[in-house]
Each structure stands twice: as C-alpha cells, then as structure tokens.
Amino acid sequence: MIISAAVAIAEARRGRLGERVYSGRSRAIFERGYIAFKSSTWMVILSGFVEPVLYLFAFGYGLGELIGNIESNGLSIPYAAYIAPALLATSAMNGAIYDSTMNIFFKLNHDRIYHGMLATSLGPLDVALGEIGLALLRGFLYGVGFMAVVAPLGLIPSLWGILAIPAAVLIAFGFAAVGMALTTYMKSFQQLEIINIFLLPMFLFSGSFYPLTVFPEWLQFIIKALPLSQAIHLVRGLTLGQINLGLLGHISYFIVMIIVGLFFTTKRLNALFMK
Amino acid sequence: MSSPLITARGLTKKFDEFVAVDEIDFDVARGESFGLLGPNGAGKSTTMRIIGATSQRTSGNLTILGMDPEKFGPQIRAHLGVVPQQDNLDMNLSVSENLYIYGRYFGLSRKFLKAKIEELLEFAQLEEKRNAKVESLSGGMKRRLTIARGLVSEPEILMLDEPTTGLDPQARHILWDRLFRLKEQGVTLVITTHFMDEAEQLCDRLVVMDKGKIMAEGSPAQLIKDYSTKEVLEIRFGSERNSAMADQLRGMCDRIEELPDRILLYSEDGEALLEKIYSAGLHPKTSLVRRSSLEDVFLRLTGRTLVD
Amino acid sequence: MSTPHIRQGSLEIVDQEKIISRGSLYVAQARLTAMMKWIWMILAIAVANPVLYLLSIGVGVGAFIDKSAGAAGIDGVKYLTFLAPALLATAAIQGAIDESVFPTLEGFNWWKNFLGMNATPISGNQIATGVFLASFVRVVGTVIIYWFVMLAFGALESSKAWLAIPTAVMAGVAFGSITQAIAGLLKDENMFFVIFNRFVMMPLFLFSGTFYPLSSMPIYLQWIGWISPLWHATELGRYLTYGHALTQTMAITHMVFLLTLLVLGIFFSRRIFTQRLAK
Ligand SMILES: Nc1ncnc2c1ncn2[C@@H]1O[C@H](COP(=O)(O)OP(=O)(O)O)[C@@H](O)[C@H]1O
Ligand SMILES: [Mg+2]
C-alpha cells in the first residue's frame, strides 16, 4: 500500500506528548497569516505604532512642560522619559488584544477558517500558537519601532532599555494568550466590547501618566495586580535602568498569563470543534 | 476481501438530551462509494463529522483504518479529505493559495505542493482562476475548489457532505463527473445527500437515514426492488378532491400514498393501472407513469418525502 | 392550505403624503429604537467615560500640574476646570461619529437596510436626515450627562456654564454630519475607520489644545487647532464654563466655523445618500 506524505508526517508524531492537540506545525498558521496580509492590514499595524508616538509628543512634551520632572523610585526624571515605557507597554497590549479578540472572533464565528484548519491533521494548540505568533511579531515590531523613535530623543537613559523589546514581546504574548482564551468564550461582538470596557480604565489608571502613589493604598494594591500595571512597571524598570527583583515578579506574572491563556484556549478550541 | 476501512457499531451522538445519531451500524469497504441518504436533520452531517474525527461520539464503536478517532485524531485526519456541507474556504486567500496553505496544514513540502496545485487546478477546472479571490467564484467553482482542497493530501477516503446542494443542474453534472473520476482512481467516497438522483448516480451502496436511525441499507437498485414496485403512477384530481378519490382507489393496486398535491399508486404495470382507473369512471386531471426511485423507498420507509 | 387573499388597493394603507412629509422622522425613529436595545450600555458609557477621564487626567495628572503651576493655575484655573470643557466636546464628537458612521455603513454595506427603506417612498434625503436626527438625540443625551458629571466634579465656575451644552452638541453634530457623508462614500470600508481613528481623530484629540493651551504648542502645529472642530468648541466651552478670555470676534469665528461645517455636512450627506441610492 502506498502511504501518502500527509499520513507519513502524521504517523511520525505518534506517541509524542500532546499529539492529540499539537502537531508541531503552528508555522503553517503563521505562514497563512503572512500570505493573508493585505495592504490595509499594514496600515492598521502602522497606525498602532503611530498612536504611542502621538501620545508621547502630546503628553510627554506638551504636558511635560507643565508638569516638569517626576519622581520615580527616588529619582527625578523628565516627564517624557517617565511615560515613554508606559506607552510602549500599552501599545504592545493593544496590538495583542486586537489580534487576539476581534480578529480571532471573526475567524471563529464568521469565516469558519478554523473549521477548515482543524479538519486537517493540525491540532488546536497549533492554531492557538500560530495565531498568537502573529501577535508576537506585532509586539516585536512595535517594540523595535518605538525604540527607534524614543532612544534618539534620549528617553532611554539606561542600556538595560534594549531589553524593553523582548519585554514588549512577552507582554504581547501574555495579553494575546489570555485575550484569545476569553474570545473563545464570547458569543457576540457586544460581549467582546466588555473586554474594551475593561481596558480603558486600566489604561487610564495603571500609572501610565503619573506614579500610583497619588492613589489611596488599597487602590494602589488593586491596580498593581492588573496586567497593564505589571507591564508598565516591567518596561519602565528596564528603560530607566531600575533593575531589581521586582522585575522577575512581573516576568513571572506574564509567564503565568501565557500558560493559563494557552491552556484554556486549547481546551476551548477542542470543545468548540469536537462537539 | 480486505477488512473494511470504516466500521461503525452502535454509533450514537447526543447533543445534551437530543439524540442526533441513534445506534447506527455500517461498514465502508475500500474503493467503494458509500452514501448516507436522508432528509435535513437526519444526522448525516453529524455522522460525517464523527468519522472525520472532528466530533466526539457519545457511545458505540468506530474504527477508521483500524484506528479509534478518539485516540488518533490527527493520524486519521491525515488519511481523509473533507468537503464540509458549508464551504469554509479561506476568503482572504486566492484560489491557489487556498490549496497551498491547506497542504501546509498537513505538513506537506512546498516542492510537493507546487506540482500538486497544478494537478488539482486542472482537476477542478480552475486553472484560469488560480489568482482570483475566492469571493469572486461561483457556487459551483467554490465547491470544486473545496473538493480539490480536500484532495491535496492525497487522501484514501474523501468525505463529501452534500456536495451539490445549492448548485444549478449544469454545475452538478460537472461535479458528478469529477467524482466519477476519483472513484475510478480508487478513492473511497463517503457521500451524504438528500437528493435521490445524486444517490442513484454516485453511490454503490447506501444507507437511508431518518431521525438519527438507519432505516435500510443496500445498493440503489436493491433498495428499490426491496421497498417499492417497478413502476409508480402519479395522478392529480386537484387539491380538494385528492383525498376523497384516494379512498376509492385503495384496493386497485399494491400500495397507495397520498401526498398533499398528488396521489402515488404503486404497481408493476402503471399503464394498465391507469386504464383500470379510467374504466372505473374516474378522470384524474393529470397522470404520469414513471419508474420507482429512492424517493419512493424513503416514502415507504418513513411515510414522508425526502425534500420538503 | 388556504390561498392568501391578495389585498386590493394597498396604496390606501400607505399614506403617501405622510411619508413624504415625515419620512426622515420615521428613519430617525427606527434608529432610536435600535439604540434603545443598547440603552443601558450607552448610558453606562455616557456616565463612566467622563468619570474615568476626569478622575484619571483631570484629578490625577491635575495634581502634578497644579502643584508645579502654583497659584496662577492653568489659564487661571485648576487643571480639572481647564480640561473638562475639552473632554465634553470630545465626548460629543465621539458620540456623533458612532451614531453616524456605523448606521451608514450598516445601511449601505453590511445589512443594506437603506436599500430596503428606499424601496418605500422614503427618499435618500430623508434617510440622511433621519440618521442625522437620531445622532443628534444621542449627542444631546451624552452631553447633558457629561455636563452634570462636570458639575459634580466642581468643574463649572461660570453662571453661563449651561451654554456649553449647545456649543458642545453643535461641535458633535457638525463633525458627525461630515463623517456621515464620508461613510456614505465608502464601498468597502476596509478598516477605514481604524485608520481614520488613529490618523485623524487621535491627532485632533491630542493636538487641539485639549490638554494644554494651543498657544503653548509649537507654532507649526497650531494649524491643527484651527481646522479642528474640537478646538473651536473647546474655546467656546472654556469661555462659557469658567470665563476664559475670548474676544467677540473670536467667539463669532468659532460659531461660524462650526455652523458652516454643519451645513456642509448635512448638504453633502443628503446629496451622497441620494446619489448612492439612485444607482
Ligand atoms: N452542534 C449541535 N448542537 C446541537 N444540535 C445539533 C448540533 N449539530 C446538529 N444538531 C442537531 O442534530 C440533528 C442532525 O443534524 P445534522 O447531522 O446536521 O443533520 P443532516 O446533516 O442530516 O441535515 C439536527 O436536528 C440538528 O439540529
Ligand atoms: Mg447536513
């Protein structure tokens, strides 16, 4: 009997860990994303990069003139240098959330693209990783692009700042994994809006524009537990060169987000498509 | 004879309390063209998805190429080409990109796919449309592309869920022709349909399904022989009078079926029966003698028509 | 099976005259009914939006600005008071855009319900006016709620403050009518509004003297304010809510700018809707 190449490839994975949900081929999903890229998608990505830059100029310089320097961990820092890392973290979050919510929701419920994918020898974890890979690429591009604007302006006083780029990728990964997991539970676009309703206050109060110390203790405590606040403190610690063990805490926070997000995404995709 | 490719015993699928597939048994042999014939909601698509290892059965046994889909989903799917009831082509990609990326999902190499895509475009008569967006294709072209896509991994079994529903007659015939070719090449076909002509044309053997159950099994000819007479006489007296007349006609033939718009009379000789009716002084508005079809088999088995 | 009766003289049931005179009201009513489905969501956003922004930026950022500005304040007042009228106008504009762009895209591209409406005696002009009227109602509601939140925050200092309501509404519907016309032109929106939001709305929001006086921006960026309805409305709002210095000429200029925009917006939406439906 002649064995087709597709069968030989699938058989080769027999007995591997997680073979029922993962075939080691998330690359193919990634490749699809690359081919499906359209000029308008480029514009959307570019626009996501422009947003923090505009905020930086409007707030960092405009408001900075009115505010002057700001205290962070006992150091006095120009306002623009204070908010730049927060804007990078926020744009990594926004990009990842857009990719993993609106985008994925559409594919799940309208395009039926995943039905096609999962009728092949791919598994749901391949799909999740492949889609999230696209969000990571975006996080990476934002990180690099923003640094290229911000560093020449002298807003990255520390050499550690270069690590803000991988940090942006990590942040994007965390948000994308959790965002995709949440999206698999959503039934309508209106429910998706709930995610956005949660994002705006998080953006406004996570210490992007001023230290959390203006808030009462109990509120500070809650805000610090939110992912965007974790992200901002991670990136800010790196760009300002304030390296301490707390950063490891932020990193672990995102690793947990990634694991939890992937776990639930895989589980839900399996449930949705194996009904 | 080699062992069957697909074996189902007591296969059952429940959605909560609702039983969509109810303890069905069947075998599909290598190289045959096997059909599931039944009206909407019979449980055909559900059965197809269970075989396709994209839906989990509630109970019963199922082996595909000797493997249990519950344990070896990806391995089984590598053997199958799937044409779902609803096209799920990738709208963001062109025709040839659809074939390419689908092959990549199976892990096939770029080099292999380059040649394969040419072959499939020719098979699906879509060479001129290779760079067209999927959206711009007609219904028949989309269906052919979906079938071509299902063949990209050179599957042994091609699963077709209502391949021609919604297509115009010409597009259907083109499609049937393509499916015959595949059959000649030895591909095993599993087809669902609610068109009796499609079942008669394409299937070597079929099961008649209704409400999740299998009502009968056999070749189209055998089923007609077993469950119907050679000929059928269709007569109309007008919608008000049909049922009154049906009572008078009972006893004149083997079996009678009363439909809202017409009366079906089953007999070995339709013309002779019609003569008899005229000589009894009854004058139907229209009459037609035809050969029995799977539609009549279904009517006999369930008391309902296939397409409503 | 019974055969349905074919109704004769159905023309008598549809009152042609009535539709011709009130068609746009019917369209507006349909839009408002659709809005009522999300009324709790709309109200929640209308309240939460000002509260969150005024707290985070007005009070939060304000704490740092007021500290460094000292007794002189910004434009003579607390930062919160300075910022609030700009945010009021922003909310009006955002609400107007939502209520004009999405119904228009929906009507022409997604559900194509405008085509259905147009098959009745309702004209393209009436559909355009109806959509505009519905968004007008939404904007009035949003602005009034915002205004009361400002009042609760103690951001209104002048006895003329209530007049900031009509000026903000005017800015909102003026901008909304323009975006309604643009949306009417789009065949394939193709993420147009993601891009529009980031390349047009965002810069307008950030550089219209919203967060600090336009005059403190570099001179080569100040033109953004001049073409921005937001800046014109903000200047009026600041004058009305706390007595920001404004000459009579400038006040009239701001009013005329917004009015002109409104007239152009309505004119072009009606024209574009009619032409598109005539195709
Ligand atoms: N995912 C599902 N959840 C609940 N009910 C379902 C689901 N899929 C199918 N059904 C029900 O199962 C029955 C059989 O459906 P299906 O297999 O699609 O029938 P067919 O393909 O023969 O038309 C139908 O009554 C349908 O409503
Ligand atoms: Mg079906």
Side-chain angles (χ1 to χ4, degrees), chain B residues 253-289:
Chain B
C253 58
D254 301 356
R255 198 161 66 82
I256 186 163
E257 290 282 355
E258 197 189 318
L259 299 180
D261 62 330
R262 62 193 194 274
I263 302 168
L264 304 184
L265 300 150
Y266 291 89
S267 160
E268 289 304 306
D269 186 345
E271 291 295 344
L273 178 60
L274 187 58
E275 282 301 311
K276 224 160 94 185
I277 291 171
Y278 275 118
S279 44
L282 301 174
H283 295 280
K285 284 184 177 164
T286 66
S287 63
L288 168 77
V289 175

mmCIF file of all heavy atoms in Angstrom, chain B residues 253-289:
data_model
loop_
_atom_site.group_PDB
_atom_site.id
_atom_site.type_symbol
_atom_site.label_atom_id
_atom_site.label_comp_id
_atom_site.label_asym_id
_atom_site.label_seq_id
_atom_site.Cartn_x
_atom_site.Cartn_y
_atom_site.Cartn_z
ATOM 1 N N CYS B 253 -54.585 -1.266 -6.315
ATOM 2 C CA CYS B 253 -53.157 -1.509 -6.551
ATOM 3 C C CYS B 253 -52.491 -2.005 -5.273
ATOM 4 O O CYS B 253 -53.113 -2.076 -4.211
ATOM 5 C CB CYS B 253 -52.483 -0.250 -7.033
ATOM 6 S SG CYS B 253 -52.682 1.082 -5.857
ATOM 7 N N ASP B 254 -51.151 -2.310 -5.358
ATOM 8 C CA ASP B 254 -50.400 -2.862 -4.226
ATOM 9 C C ASP B 254 -50.408 -1.894 -3.052
ATOM 10 O O ASP B 254 -50.608 -2.263 -1.911
ATOM 11 C CB ASP B 254 -48.924 -3.111 -4.610
ATOM 12 C CG ASP B 254 -48.812 -4.080 -5.777
ATOM 13 O OD1 ASP B 254 -49.872 -4.592 -6.196
ATOM 14 O OD2 ASP B 254 -47.695 -4.312 -6.255
ATOM 15 N N ARG B 255 -50.121 -0.612 -3.351
ATOM 16 C CA ARG B 255 -49.935 0.336 -2.272
ATOM 17 C C ARG B 255 -50.288 1.716 -2.789
ATOM 18 O O ARG B 255 -50.152 1.993 -3.978
ATOM 19 C CB ARG B 255 -48.467 0.333 -1.835
ATOM 20 C CG ARG B 255 -48.194 0.943 -0.475
ATOM 21 C CD ARG B 255 -46.834 0.464 0.014
ATOM 22 N NE ARG B 255 -45.760 0.986 -0.825
ATOM 23 C CZ ARG B 255 -45.247 2.200 -0.682
ATOM 24 N NH1 ARG B 255 -45.684 3.003 0.238
ATOM 25 N NH2 ARG B 255 -44.280 2.589 -1.473
ATOM 26 N N ILE B 256 -50.731 2.562 -1.896
ATOM 27 C CA ILE B 256 -51.111 3.906 -2.325
ATOM 28 C C ILE B 256 -50.551 4.913 -1.332
ATOM 29 O O ILE B 256 -50.528 4.652 -0.129
ATOM 30 C CB ILE B 256 -52.649 3.982 -2.452
ATOM 31 C CG1 ILE B 256 -53.077 5.330 -3.043
ATOM 32 C CG2 ILE B 256 -53.338 3.798 -1.121
ATOM 33 C CD1 ILE B 256 -54.507 5.268 -3.550
ATOM 34 N N GLU B 257 -50.041 6.018 -1.837
ATOM 35 C CA GLU B 257 -49.543 7.069 -0.947
ATOM 36 C C GLU B 257 -50.231 8.366 -1.332
ATOM 37 O O GLU B 257 -50.282 8.726 -2.505
ATOM 38 C CB GLU B 257 -48.026 7.253 -1.083
ATOM 39 C CG GLU B 257 -47.183 6.110 -0.546
ATOM 40 C CD GLU B 257 -47.049 6.119 0.975
ATOM 41 O OE1 GLU B 257 -47.534 7.079 1.626
ATOM 42 O OE2 GLU B 257 -46.472 5.153 1.506
ATOM 43 N N GLU B 258 -50.730 9.050 -0.336
ATOM 44 C CA GLU B 258 -51.458 10.279 -0.600
ATOM 45 C C GLU B 258 -50.589 11.466 -0.188
ATOM 46 O O GLU B 258 -50.212 11.591 0.974
ATOM 47 C CB GLU B 258 -52.726 10.225 0.250
ATOM 48 C CG GLU B 258 -53.796 11.159 -0.151
ATOM 49 C CD GLU B 258 -54.884 11.133 0.912
ATOM 50 O OE1 GLU B 258 -55.227 10.046 1.405
ATOM 51 O OE2 GLU B 258 -55.338 12.227 1.266
ATOM 52 N N LEU B 259 -50.220 12.295 -1.134
ATOM 53 C CA LEU B 259 -49.437 13.488 -0.833
ATOM 54 C C LEU B 259 -50.353 14.699 -0.939
ATOM 55 O O LEU B 259 -51.423 14.597 -1.532
ATOM 56 C CB LEU B 259 -48.263 13.606 -1.805
ATOM 57 C CG LEU B 259 -47.264 12.444 -1.782
ATOM 58 C CD1 LEU B 259 -46.146 12.690 -2.784
ATOM 59 C CD2 LEU B 259 -46.711 12.228 -0.387
ATOM 60 N N PRO B 260 -49.977 15.820 -0.408
ATOM 61 C CA PRO B 260 -50.864 16.998 -0.443
ATOM 62 C C PRO B 260 -51.318 17.353 -1.851
ATOM 63 O O PRO B 260 -52.470 17.722 -2.066
ATOM 64 C CB PRO B 260 -49.996 18.115 0.135
ATOM 65 C CG PRO B 260 -48.974 17.420 0.955
ATOM 66 C CD PRO B 260 -48.741 16.084 0.317
ATOM 67 N N ASP B 261 -50.437 17.203 -2.853
ATOM 68 C CA ASP B 261 -50.808 17.666 -4.193
ATOM 69 C C ASP B 261 -51.089 16.542 -5.166
ATOM 70 O O ASP B 261 -51.534 16.791 -6.276
ATOM 71 C CB ASP B 261 -49.686 18.554 -4.741
ATOM 72 C CG ASP B 261 -48.392 17.788 -4.867
ATOM 73 O OD1 ASP B 261 -48.171 16.846 -4.064
ATOM 74 O OD2 ASP B 261 -47.605 18.093 -5.775
ATOM 75 N N ARG B 262 -50.772 15.298 -4.773
ATOM 76 C CA ARG B 262 -50.980 14.203 -5.730
ATOM 77 C C ARG B 262 -51.104 12.864 -5.011
ATOM 78 O O ARG B 262 -50.830 12.773 -3.819
ATOM 79 C CB ARG B 262 -49.836 14.154 -6.752
ATOM 80 C CG ARG B 262 -48.480 13.883 -6.133
ATOM 81 C CD ARG B 262 -47.381 14.167 -7.156
ATOM 82 N NE ARG B 262 -46.103 13.618 -6.713
ATOM 83 C CZ ARG B 262 -45.251 14.243 -5.924
ATOM 84 N NH1 ARG B 262 -45.524 15.449 -5.476
ATOM 85 N NH2 ARG B 262 -44.123 13.670 -5.587
ATOM 86 N N ILE B 263 -51.519 11.849 -5.794
ATOM 87 C CA ILE B 263 -51.647 10.503 -5.240
ATOM 88 C C ILE B 263 -50.665 9.606 -5.977
ATOM 89 O O ILE B 263 -50.532 9.689 -7.201
ATOM 90 C CB ILE B 263 -53.077 9.959 -5.448
ATOM 91 C CG1 ILE B 263 -54.078 10.919 -4.795
ATOM 92 C CG2 ILE B 263 -53.220 8.573 -4.849
ATOM 93 C CD1 ILE B 263 -55.508 10.617 -5.193
ATOM 94 N N LEU B 264 -49.901 8.788 -5.216
ATOM 95 C CA LEU B 264 -48.960 7.864 -5.835
ATOM 96 C C LEU B 264 -49.530 6.453 -5.716
ATOM 97 O O LEU B 264 -49.923 6.021 -4.631
ATOM 98 C CB LEU B 264 -47.606 7.910 -5.133
ATOM 99 C CG LEU B 264 -46.914 9.262 -5.033
ATOM 100 C CD1 LEU B 264 -45.549 9.102 -4.399
ATOM 101 C CD2 LEU B 264 -46.782 9.891 -6.412
ATOM 102 N N LEU B 265 -49.565 5.750 -6.859
ATOM 103 C CA LEU B 265 -50.080 4.382 -6.871
ATOM 104 C C LEU B 265 -48.951 3.456 -7.290
ATOM 105 O O LEU B 265 -48.330 3.661 -8.346
ATOM 106 C CB LEU B 265 -51.253 4.270 -7.847
ATOM 107 C CG LEU B 265 -52.433 5.196 -7.505
ATOM 108 C CD1 LEU B 265 -53.176 5.600 -8.750
ATOM 109 C CD2 LEU B 265 -53.333 4.530 -6.492
ATOM 110 N N TYR B 266 -48.659 2.451 -6.465
ATOM 111 C CA TYR B 266 -47.540 1.551 -6.742
ATOM 112 C C TYR B 266 -48.031 0.292 -7.426
ATOM 113 O O TYR B 266 -48.975 -0.354 -6.953
ATOM 114 C CB TYR B 266 -46.808 1.224 -5.444
ATOM 115 C CG TYR B 266 -46.082 2.448 -4.926
ATOM 116 C CD1 TYR B 266 -46.722 3.340 -4.085
ATOM 117 C CD2 TYR B 266 -44.796 2.716 -5.354
ATOM 118 C CE1 TYR B 266 -46.071 4.483 -3.653
ATOM 119 C CE2 TYR B 266 -44.135 3.857 -4.927
ATOM 120 C CZ TYR B 266 -44.782 4.739 -4.080
ATOM 121 O OH TYR B 266 -44.130 5.862 -3.676
ATOM 122 N N SER B 267 -47.365 -0.030 -8.537
ATOM 123 C CA SER B 267 -47.841 -1.166 -9.328
ATOM 124 C C SER B 267 -46.711 -1.665 -10.220
ATOM 125 O O SER B 267 -45.780 -0.914 -10.533
ATOM 126 C CB SER B 267 -49.024 -0.700 -10.190
ATOM 127 O OG SER B 267 -49.219 -1.585 -11.252
ATOM 128 N N GLU B 268 -46.779 -2.932 -10.643
ATOM 129 C CA GLU B 268 -45.756 -3.449 -11.558
ATOM 130 C C GLU B 268 -45.983 -2.889 -12.948
ATOM 131 O O GLU B 268 -45.058 -2.768 -13.744
ATOM 132 C CB GLU B 268 -45.761 -4.980 -11.589
ATOM 133 C CG GLU B 268 -45.235 -5.634 -10.303
ATOM 134 C CD GLU B 268 -43.839 -5.167 -9.925
ATOM 135 O OE1 GLU B 268 -42.919 -5.254 -10.761
ATOM 136 O OE2 GLU B 268 -43.662 -4.684 -8.778
ATOM 137 N N ASP B 269 -47.205 -2.534 -13.259
ATOM 138 C CA ASP B 269 -47.529 -2.006 -14.586
ATOM 139 C C ASP B 269 -48.403 -0.756 -14.464
ATOM 140 O O ASP B 269 -49.611 -0.848 -14.258
ATOM 141 C CB ASP B 269 -48.249 -3.102 -15.402
ATOM 142 C CG ASP B 269 -48.478 -2.660 -16.855
ATOM 143 O OD1 ASP B 269 -48.341 -1.434 -17.137
ATOM 144 O OD2 ASP B 269 -48.780 -3.523 -17.681
ATOM 145 N N GLY B 270 -47.820 0.372 -14.604
ATOM 146 C CA GLY B 270 -48.507 1.636 -14.394
ATOM 147 C C GLY B 270 -49.585 1.936 -15.419
ATOM 148 O O GLY B 270 -50.684 2.364 -15.083
ATOM 149 N N GLU B 271 -49.249 1.679 -16.703
ATOM 150 C CA GLU B 271 -50.205 1.976 -17.764
ATOM 151 C C GLU B 271 -51.494 1.178 -17.577
ATOM 152 O O GLU B 271 -52.609 1.713 -17.721
ATOM 153 C CB GLU B 271 -49.601 1.658 -19.140
ATOM 154 C CG GLU B 271 -48.475 2.581 -19.580
ATOM 155 C CD GLU B 271 -48.941 4.011 -19.792
ATOM 156 O OE1 GLU B 271 -50.177 4.244 -19.907
ATOM 157 O OE2 GLU B 271 -48.083 4.927 -19.814
ATOM 158 N N ALA B 272 -51.354 -0.094 -17.268
ATOM 159 C CA ALA B 272 -52.515 -0.963 -17.089
ATOM 160 C C ALA B 272 -53.394 -0.450 -15.959
ATOM 161 O O ALA B 272 -54.626 -0.427 -16.058
ATOM 162 C CB ALA B 272 -52.056 -2.391 -16.786
ATOM 163 N N LEU B 273 -52.719 0.015 -14.894
ATOM 164 C CA LEU B 273 -53.457 0.542 -13.749
ATOM 165 C C LEU B 273 -54.254 1.784 -14.139
ATOM 166 O O LEU B 273 -55.419 1.937 -13.769
ATOM 167 C CB LEU B 273 -52.482 0.848 -12.614
ATOM 168 C CG LEU B 273 -53.085 1.448 -11.346
ATOM 169 C CD1 LEU B 273 -54.113 0.514 -10.739
ATOM 170 C CD2 LEU B 273 -51.990 1.750 -10.329
ATOM 171 N N LEU B 274 -53.634 2.613 -14.938
ATOM 172 C CA LEU B 274 -54.301 3.842 -15.363
ATOM 173 C C LEU B 274 -55.552 3.513 -16.174
ATOM 174 O O LEU B 274 -56.615 4.106 -15.996
ATOM 175 C CB LEU B 274 -53.331 4.702 -16.190
ATOM 176 C CG LEU B 274 -53.834 6.092 -16.573
ATOM 177 C CD1 LEU B 274 -54.196 6.912 -15.347
ATOM 178 C CD2 LEU B 274 -52.780 6.841 -17.404
ATOM 179 N N GLU B 275 -55.421 2.514 -17.073
ATOM 180 C CA GLU B 275 -56.563 2.034 -17.842
ATOM 181 C C GLU B 275 -57.716 1.669 -16.918
ATOM 182 O O GLU B 275 -58.861 2.075 -17.116
ATOM 183 C CB GLU B 275 -56.164 0.772 -18.646
ATOM 184 C CG GLU B 275 -55.375 1.068 -19.895
ATOM 185 C CD GLU B 275 -56.167 1.962 -20.842
ATOM 186 O OE1 GLU B 275 -57.354 1.660 -21.110
ATOM 187 O OE2 GLU B 275 -55.593 2.998 -21.283
ATOM 188 N N LYS B 276 -57.359 0.904 -15.888
ATOM 189 C CA LYS B 276 -58.338 0.408 -14.932
ATOM 190 C C LYS B 276 -59.081 1.569 -14.262
ATOM 191 O O LYS B 276 -60.297 1.541 -14.072
ATOM 192 C CB LYS B 276 -57.629 -0.424 -13.867
ATOM 193 C CG LYS B 276 -58.358 -1.726 -13.519
ATOM 194 C CD LYS B 276 -57.430 -2.728 -12.860
ATOM 195 C CE LYS B 276 -57.490 -2.648 -11.348
ATOM 196 N NZ LYS B 276 -56.501 -3.535 -10.697
ATOM 197 N N ILE B 277 -58.299 2.624 -13.946
ATOM 198 C CA ILE B 277 -58.899 3.775 -13.269
ATOM 199 C C ILE B 277 -59.888 4.485 -14.182
ATOM 200 O O ILE B 277 -61.010 4.811 -13.790
ATOM 201 C CB ILE B 277 -57.796 4.742 -12.795
ATOM 202 C CG1 ILE B 277 -57.017 4.086 -11.658
ATOM 203 C CG2 ILE B 277 -58.385 6.076 -12.328
ATOM 204 C CD1 ILE B 277 -55.784 4.834 -11.242
ATOM 205 N N TYR B 278 -59.479 4.663 -15.449
ATOM 206 C CA TYR B 278 -60.376 5.305 -16.410
ATOM 207 C C TYR B 278 -61.641 4.494 -16.578
ATOM 208 O O TYR B 278 -62.748 5.036 -16.586
ATOM 209 C CB TYR B 278 -59.681 5.475 -17.763
ATOM 210 C CG TYR B 278 -58.855 6.739 -17.837
ATOM 211 C CD1 TYR B 278 -57.483 6.704 -18.034
ATOM 212 C CD2 TYR B 278 -59.487 8.000 -17.728
ATOM 213 C CE1 TYR B 278 -56.730 7.855 -18.097
ATOM 214 C CE2 TYR B 278 -58.739 9.153 -17.790
ATOM 215 C CZ TYR B 278 -57.367 9.093 -17.981
ATOM 216 O OH TYR B 278 -56.642 10.222 -18.044
ATOM 217 N N SER B 279 -61.455 3.154 -16.693
ATOM 218 C CA SER B 279 -62.650 2.339 -16.948
ATOM 219 C C SER B 279 -63.569 2.298 -15.731
ATOM 220 O O SER B 279 -64.762 2.003 -15.856
ATOM 221 C CB SER B 279 -62.269 0.930 -17.425
ATOM 222 O OG SER B 279 -61.224 0.428 -16.647
ATOM 223 N N ALA B 280 -63.003 2.637 -14.548
ATOM 224 C CA ALA B 280 -63.881 2.728 -13.369
ATOM 225 C C ALA B 280 -64.622 4.055 -13.349
ATOM 226 O O ALA B 280 -65.338 4.360 -12.390
ATOM 227 C CB ALA B 280 -63.063 2.563 -12.101
ATOM 228 N N GLY B 281 -64.426 4.861 -14.390
ATOM 229 C CA GLY B 281 -65.175 6.109 -14.499
ATOM 230 C C GLY B 281 -64.527 7.275 -13.777
ATOM 231 O O GLY B 281 -65.154 8.306 -13.552
ATOM 232 N N LEU B 282 -63.255 7.112 -13.375
ATOM 233 C CA LEU B 282 -62.560 8.203 -12.684
ATOM 234 C C LEU B 282 -61.683 8.944 -13.680
ATOM 235 O O LEU B 282 -61.026 8.316 -14.519
ATOM 236 C CB LEU B 282 -61.713 7.654 -11.535
ATOM 237 C CG LEU B 282 -62.510 6.890 -10.472
ATOM 238 C CD1 LEU B 282 -61.567 6.261 -9.463
ATOM 239 C CD2 LEU B 282 -63.512 7.803 -9.798
ATOM 240 N N HIS B 283 -61.678 10.255 -13.577
ATOM 241 C CA HIS B 283 -60.910 11.034 -14.547
ATOM 242 C C HIS B 283 -59.967 12.016 -13.868
ATOM 243 O O HIS B 283 -60.346 13.152 -13.597
ATOM 244 C CB HIS B 283 -61.860 11.767 -15.499
ATOM 245 C CG HIS B 283 -62.642 10.813 -16.326
ATOM 246 N ND1 HIS B 283 -62.133 10.198 -17.449
ATOM 247 C CD2 HIS B 283 -63.894 10.321 -16.172
ATOM 248 C CE1 HIS B 283 -63.028 9.381 -17.963
ATOM 249 N NE2 HIS B 283 -64.124 9.427 -17.189
ATOM 250 N N PRO B 284 -58.737 11.568 -13.573
ATOM 251 C CA PRO B 284 -57.756 12.486 -12.961
ATOM 252 C C PRO B 284 -57.413 13.629 -13.902
ATOM 253 O O PRO B 284 -57.468 13.468 -15.122
ATOM 254 C CB PRO B 284 -56.548 11.595 -12.712
ATOM 255 C CG PRO B 284 -56.722 10.399 -13.579
ATOM 256 C CD PRO B 284 -58.192 10.228 -13.793
ATOM 257 N N LYS B 285 -57.048 14.778 -13.302
ATOM 258 C CA LYS B 285 -56.677 15.937 -14.135
ATOM 259 C C LYS B 285 -55.360 15.703 -14.851
ATOM 260 O O LYS B 285 -55.195 16.085 -15.999
ATOM 261 C CB LYS B 285 -56.526 17.185 -13.251
ATOM 262 C CG LYS B 285 -57.843 17.777 -12.823
ATOM 263 C CD LYS B 285 -57.592 19.042 -12.038
ATOM 264 C CE LYS B 285 -58.904 19.700 -11.660
ATOM 265 N NZ LYS B 285 -58.726 20.696 -10.599
ATOM 266 N N THR B 286 -54.398 15.110 -14.163
ATOM 267 C CA THR B 286 -53.129 14.762 -14.803
ATOM 268 C C THR B 286 -52.734 13.375 -14.349
ATOM 269 O O THR B 286 -53.130 12.921 -13.267
ATOM 270 C CB THR B 286 -51.983 15.719 -14.417
ATOM 271 O OG1 THR B 286 -51.707 15.550 -13.030
ATOM 272 C CG2 THR B 286 -52.310 17.170 -14.700
ATOM 273 N N SER B 287 -51.898 12.729 -15.167
ATOM 274 C CA SER B 287 -51.372 11.423 -14.771
ATOM 275 C C SER B 287 -49.991 11.242 -15.361
ATOM 276 O O SER B 287 -49.655 11.845 -16.380
ATOM 277 C CB SER B 287 -52.303 10.311 -15.275
ATOM 278 O OG SER B 287 -52.320 10.346 -16.679
ATOM 279 N N LEU B 288 -49.159 10.446 -14.656
ATOM 280 C CA LEU B 288 -47.784 10.233 -15.098
ATOM 281 C C LEU B 288 -47.340 8.861 -14.614
ATOM 282 O O LEU B 288 -47.525 8.521 -13.442
ATOM 283 C CB LEU B 288 -46.888 11.317 -14.489
ATOM 284 C CG LEU B 288 -45.386 11.098 -14.594
ATOM 285 C CD1 LEU B 288 -44.911 11.425 -16.002
ATOM 286 C CD2 LEU B 288 -44.649 11.947 -13.572
ATOM 287 N N VAL B 289 -46.772 8.084 -15.530
ATOM 288 C CA VAL B 289 -46.214 6.786 -15.130
ATOM 289 C C VAL B 289 -44.699 6.896 -15.144
ATOM 290 O O VAL B 289 -44.132 7.422 -16.099
ATOM 291 C CB VAL B 289 -46.662 5.662 -16.092
ATOM 292 C CG1 VAL B 289 -45.971 4.348 -15.714
ATOM 293 C CG2 VAL B 289 -48.168 5.506 -16.061
#
